[in-house]
Amino acid sequence: MRVFVTGASGWIGSATVDELLAAGHEVVGLARSDTSAASLDAKGAQVRRGDLDDLDSIREGAATADAVIHLANKHDFNNPAVSSQAERAAVQAIGDALTGSGRPFLLASGVVGLAQDRPATEDDRSPFHGPESPRGGSENLALEYVDRGVHTVSVRFAPTVHGDGDHGFIAILVALAREKGIAGYVGDGTNRWPAIHRSDAARITRLGLEKAPAGTLLHAVSEEGVPTREIAEAIGRGLGVPAVSIAPQDAQSHFGWIGRFFGMDCPTSSARTQELLGWAPSGPSLAQVLDTGSYFRS
């Protein structure tokens, strides 16, 4: 298939492009910079210039592809409304371009907030609707296009997609621990974060493109929930600093914006995803990657 990928040079997107090319697919990657374009070109992917705000380029990329994988996100955590608005507009542009075609449209979503007091499953519908909700309610918006002849599949990624070179949540926690001289966790640290290695996240995305029926909700999760105290202790070992409990009321001041997430308990199952796709995790666990020391290089 000729696959149009937004976020093609990003953390998950670049691994997904590699996975698609290795499986024999043709890839057209959206690139907003010369550096991103050169990286895609070097891999053998085609380049479409544009960014998340360039809706004309996104529409044309979707209209001329056999399938779309939408992984781009502004990730503006200090002004989440900006990210949410851009995400919703991009999803609508892609959905409109694919309406009536029956072509696959995979989009990135998340697992946080799907369930309380139990592991979330693929049966749990997103509670986020409308442009003012997290991610602009993009998952539910995209799924509405199933009734309009679009083969929508939502890939819900764990909050921690780890690996060598990660600049996401774990890298931010490492930077905070280095700055403050302690590796913090919230309360007793029994709240759990799902995790997946970057290679497994890319593989699920590719398999979802090839195998998942329209309307499917996939969970890109290999570890159902790693206690945050264990994460902090591993960071502490890596930096040679103590792991310390942070009172819940102090989480925001200690961690900044990431404190809103790090104190949440969001265990998530991927049992149905594994069965549907014939997939099993093969990448290293979060603890194994932390023990390699890759997150602690200066």
Side-chain angles (χ1 to χ4, degrees):
M1 282 186 279
R2 177 182 171 89
V3 187
F4 175 50
V5 182
T6 74
S9 59
W11 175 239
I12 299 173
S14 57
T16 298
V17 168
D18 293 342
E19 181 77 20
L20 292 169
L21 291 171
H25 296 289
E26 180 182 350
V27 174
V28 180
L30 188 68
R32 65 179 179 178
S33 70
D34 292 342
T35 301
S36 295
S39 175
L40 288 167
D41 184 66
K43 292 181 176 186
Q46 299 174 42
V47 175
R48 167 170 287 278
R49 294 304 295 261
D51 59 24
L52 202 55
D53 294 319
D54 189 348
L55 297 181
D56 287 339
S57 184
I58 289 174
R59 287 189 195 96
E60 187 174 348
T64 56
D66 299 318
V68 178
I69 299 178
H70 174 49
L71 301 173
N73 192 288
K74 289 192 173 185
H75 296 300
D76 188 344
F77 294 106
N78 291 314
N79 192 355
V82 171
S83 293
S84 295
Q85 290 165 7
E87 172 69 3
R88 187 174 182 87
V91 165
Q92 185 167 359
I94 295 167
D96 288 347
L98 297 180
T99 292
S101 69
R103 286 176 279 167
F105 171 26
L106 277 70
L107 78 156
S109 188
V111 300
V112 175
L114 294 177
Q116 294 183 348
D117 302 321
R118 62 170 176 80
T121 75
E122 295 87 343
D123 285 336
D124 289 309
R125 304 292 293 199
S126 170
F128 306 125
H129 298 264
E132 305 303 320
S133 60
R135 303 183 76 103
S138 59
E139 178 178 281
N140 283 313
L141 174 62
L143 290 170
E144 291 175 9
Y145 281 92
V146 172
D147 292 333
R148 296 171 60 182
V150 180
H151 192 108
T152 302
V153 175
S154 179
V155 186
R156 294 167 163 176
F157 293 100
T160 296
V161 181
H162 54 270
D164 191 1
D166 174 24
H167 290 87
F169 282 173
I170 296 299
I172 292 169
L173 291 171
V174 170
L176 280 169
R178 181 179 280 117
E179 173 191 346
K180 295 178 179 292
I182 59 171
Y185 55 90
V186 180
D188 63 5
T190 57
N191 59 300
R192 295 154 290 179
W193 260 23
I196 188 169
H197 190 263
R198 178 176 176 240
S199 61
D200 282 319
R203 191 163 298 112
I204 284 178
T205 305
R206 191 259 300 171
L207 290 171
L209 171 69
E210 296 171 347
K211 294 185 176 184
T216 298
L217 304 173
L218 300 175
H219 281 185
V221 172
S222 58
E223 295 178 87
E224 184 172 292
V226 184
T228 55
R229 179 169 182 167
E230 293 183 10
I231 296 173
E233 289 172 343
I235 292 172
R237 288 194 302 271
L239 293 176
V241 300
V244 176
S245 172
I246 306 299
Q249 63 270 23
D250 297 328
Q252 191 79 15
S253 61
H254 179 85
F255 292 104
W257 62 264
I258 200 173
R260 300 196 306 269
F261 302 101
F262 199 46
M264 297 179 69
D265 186 42
C266 49
T268 303
S269 169
S270 64
R272 294 190 182 183
T273 297
Q274 294 189 42
E275 181 179 4
L276 173 66
L277 301 182
W279 165 80
S282 59
S285 68
L286 176 57
Q288 288 171 330
V289 172
L290 283 168
D291 284 344
T292 67
S294 61
Y295 279 95
F296 309 113
R297 300 187 189 119
S298 300

